[in-house]
Amino acid sequence: VQLQASGGGLVQAGGSLRLSCAASGRTFSSYLGWFRQAPGKEREFVAAISWSGGSTYYADSVKGRFTISRDNAKNTVYLQMNSLKPEDTAVYYCAATGSSWYSEIHEYDYWGQGTQVTVSS
């Protein structure tokens, strides 16, 4: 599975961005997730979606502000980020796993290259 993340950028607090993750190759993964890593911090789970049923899961810190969705025909997953805060600043990565442990970073086998999101105050 090859993953290509895009859509990052610089936005003011309260603004919105939409990240995209295009998957190619053997797209038989169970979940596609978004993770983020801020400077000096560990990479953390943000959201995940199942390829088959479309079930979605979110970290508490983004619940109600971020929405993950998928377009199976395009093999693309999106992360709509609204009401952005400076603490959302990080490099965002998309990843794919065949495991059911969708929030566990070590369960993910395939990773995209990351896209920078910067939220100014």
Side-chain angles (χ1 to χ4, degrees), residues 17-102:
L17 281 175
R18 189 178 79 157
L19 306 184
S20 299
C21 180
S24 61
R26 300 171 64 190
T27 54
F28 54 80
S29 299
S30 297
Y31 292 92
L32 196 139
W34 285 97
F35 292 78
R36 66 186 181 187
Q37 187 166 19
K41 295 188 177 181
E42 294 186 350
R43 196 171 297 188
E44 64 177 4
F45 170 75
V46 175
I49 189 167
S50 67
W51 275 115
S52 57
S55 299
T56 58
Y57 308 90
Y58 299 93
D60 288 343
S61 59
V62 306
K63 202 171 293 184
R65 299 188 298 121
F66 290 11
T67 302
I68 189 170
S69 62
R70 78 196 196 287
D71 183 335
N72 285 9
K74 295 182 178 180
N75 281 340
T76 299
V77 173
Y78 305 97
L79 186 68
Q80 178 67 43
M81 305 185 295
N82 299 329
S83 301
L84 282 162
K85 305 175 181 180
E87 51 263 44
D88 294 318
T89 296
V91 177
Y92 283 71
Y93 299 88
C94 60
T97 180
S99 167
S100 59
W101 300 95
Y102 55 82

